[in-house]
Amino acid sequence: MTLQSLLLSAFSRNLKKSHLNKPEILAQTVVDFVNASKLKLRDPLPSIQSVSEHCKIAKETVRQAYNILKRNGVVDAKRGRAYFVITEHYKGVPNVFLMFNYFGTPHKVETLKGILAGVGDKAKLSFFSHYKDPDTFVKTLNDAKGKYDYYVVMPLRDEKCAKALAEFDQSKLLLIDIDIDYPNKSCPKIIQNFNEKFYDILLKLEPSIKKYPDFTLSMVIAGAPREHKTAFEKFCKKFGFKYEFIDKKLEAADIKDKKIWFLFDDDDLVTVVKRSDELGLKIKKDYAIVSYNDIPIKHIICGGITTISIDFFALGERVAKQILSWDPTCDETVETYLIDGKTI
């Protein structure tokens, strides 16, 4: 079988199985042939006409593919001659899979902005969300296996998810924001420290909290990292603060005075502020608030919400740096800090 026939067969085969669009499939097939030394310098590509007829696709599709290759310096063409190879090796921009739990929450948007700002046009990014559903997580991850250069994943703490991650190529996997343990884990990670760092911030808040000796510290733990509950309980017991855990979304009936609210969900924050206002409760007199995850609007509400957070844009920038210069040994913890507000 001639080289041209081999390439035409590869075109047809890859068009049937790849997730990419048709011009990208054709272009990537040529790149794979070049990098495997199956196509060498000055080797011609099949004509646009022959690819169109063999693969039963439009000539314009083939022309787009060859133009992609030409723009990327893989092939060239002169008037009256076929496209021909002009490089011995080509490494394109990395093709990257990114899966978050959500993209719509404001702090996740900040992380996404940081990634996009850092990557620019130096990587191709494909975005997915598992919506905190284990089955969606596993299916989405497994469907993507082998189709990308790198996999950036915000994991879900679940046995199914841990198993799926354990079966993945660890050198191409990056865990972000949340850490998760599983057998033979050796992948890079850029994560938050939800235990010690959170406890350290609570220690900074202790002088403010003790100004409210009759208040109950109420932590709404629905959706909060489990480490926060441990750190919060340790803190309250150390200083003798009255405390409670609420494992559900807040409703108007839950809002009463003499509480310091520790809120991880922004919907709960809205519920507390709105209902307290309706009841005539005054911030720092009848109730106080500490929220989690900084977003711009929190600098305005109640004159500025006291917030525990990381820099989500900076997290995105660090992820971008990892994508562009992949380090399989990367192991970083992003800084947690306190934003002083006027709500405690």
Side-chain angles (χ1 to χ4, degrees):
M1 185 177 288
T2 67
L3 177 60
Q4 299 253 329
S5 297
L6 285 172
L7 189 53
L8 287 171
S9 296
F11 283 156
S12 296
R13 183 171 59 253
N14 292 342
L15 284 167
K16 292 177 182 178
K17 69 178 183 180
S18 179
H19 70 291
L20 301 173
N21 64 42
K22 290 178 180 178
E24 289 176 330
I25 293 168
L26 298 176
Q28 186 59 49
T29 302
V30 172
V31 168
D32 291 343
F33 265 60
V34 170
N35 288 342
S37 298
K38 295 178 181 178
L39 279 172
K40 304 184 186 310
L41 282 173
R42 292 179 290 282
D43 279 345
L45 301 187
S47 69
I48 291 174
Q49 178 74 26
S50 64
V51 177
S52 173
E53 292 177 353
H54 183 88
C55 299
K56 296 180 173 55
I57 56 177
K59 292 180 184 178
E60 181 57 29
T61 299
V62 186
R63 187 174 290 108
Q64 290 175 14
Y66 284 9
N67 284 337
I68 291 172
L69 293 165
K70 186 175 181 180
R71 285 198 305 270
N72 290 337
V74 180
V75 304
D76 199 0
K78 296 181 179 179
R79 184 180 295 275
R81 294 180 57 187
Y83 286 85
F84 58 95
V85 177
I86 60 172
T87 184
E88 294 180 335
H89 181 78
Y90 175 76
K91 184 174 185 338
V93 299
N95 190 21
V96 184
F97 169 95
L98 292 102
M99 181 163 63
F100 283 26
N101 49 12
Y102 303 104
F103 284 107
T105 54
H107 53 286
K108 297 297 168 51
V109 170
E110 286 300 303
T111 300
L112 181 57
K113 286 179 180 178
I115 293 173
L116 294 174
V119 167
D121 60 357
K122 297 177 182 177
K124 179 180 178 181
L125 309 178
S126 297
F127 302 100
F128 301 87
S129 178
H130 57 71
Y131 305 102
K132 292 189 175 181
D133 177 68
D135 292 331
T136 300
F137 181 100
V138 172
K139 184 178 187 307
T140 304
L141 191 63
N142 286 339
D143 285 349
K145 189 177 292 185
K147 297 178 180 177
Y148 298 88
D149 297 306
Y150 303 120
Y151 299 81
V152 178
V153 175
M154 191 174 291
L156 184 61
R157 285 171 171 168
D158 175 88
E159 289 184 6
K160 292 180 182 178
C161 301
K163 184 175 183 294
L165 290 169
E167 295 172 350
F168 228 77
D169 183 345
Q170 298 296 293
S171 67
K172 296 183 177 181
L173 177 67
L174 173 69
L175 299 186
I176 65 168
D177 193 38
I178 300 168
D179 200 8
I180 181 173
D181 291 324
Y182 51 84
N184 301 315
K185 175 184 171 187
S186 59
C187 68
K189 60 184 180 180
I190 304 173
I191 59 169
Q192 296 193 53
N193 184 322
F194 292 111
N195 193 344
E196 289 88 353
K197 296 298 182 183
F198 181 66
Y199 184 78
D200 290 344
I201 297 296
L202 291 176
L203 292 177
K204 292 182 180 180
L205 284 168
E206 187 268 337
S208 297
I209 293 172
K210 70 181 182 182
K211 295 177 183 177
Y212 307 91
D214 299 328
F215 282 40
T216 299
L217 279 65
S218 299
M219 174 181 276
V220 184
I221 60 172
R226 64 189 179 207
E227 294 95 336
H228 283 2
K229 181 179 178 180
T230 302
F232 186 80
E233 191 165 37
K234 175 184 174 183
F235 169 76
C236 291
K237 288 180 176 180
K238 176 179 175 65
F239 293 101
F241 294 128
K242 294 182 294 183
Y243 70 96
E244 65 178 355
F245 295 113
I246 302 174
D247 193 8
K248 70 180 185 71
K249 299 231 4 133
L250 289 180
E251 301 174 358
D254 298 317
I255 311 307
K256 301 172 183 177
D257 62 356
K258 305 303 179 185
K259 288 183 181 289
I260 301 177
W261 293 102
F262 283 78
L263 304 171
F264 297 90
D265 189 291
D266 290 342
D267 288 341
D268 289 334
L269 173 61
V270 172
T271 299
V272 168
V273 173
K274 181 179 178 182
R275 183 57 178 163
S276 296
D277 187 57
E278 291 171 351
L279 295 173
L281 303 178
K282 301 300 181 183
I283 192 72
K284 296 181 70 173
K285 178 184 176 186
D286 304 307
Y287 73 106
I289 293 174
V290 178
S291 76
Y292 199 72
N293 296 333
D294 183 36
I295 57 174
I297 192 65
K298 291 184 181 180
H299 295 260
I300 299 173
I301 299 173
C302 297
I305 303 288
T306 300
T307 302
I308 301 170
S309 188
I310 66 168
D311 187 330
F312 287 96
F313 187 87
L315 169 61
E317 288 184 311
R318 183 60 195 87
V319 171
K321 183 178 178 182
Q322 171 72 4
I323 288 171
L324 297 181
S325 183
W326 195 264
D327 177 8
T329 67
C330 175
D331 185 355
E332 295 186 13
T333 301
V334 294
E335 181 184 0
T336 302
Y337 58 91
L338 176 68
I339 300 173
D340 292 322
K342 300 183 182 298
T343 55
I344 189 169

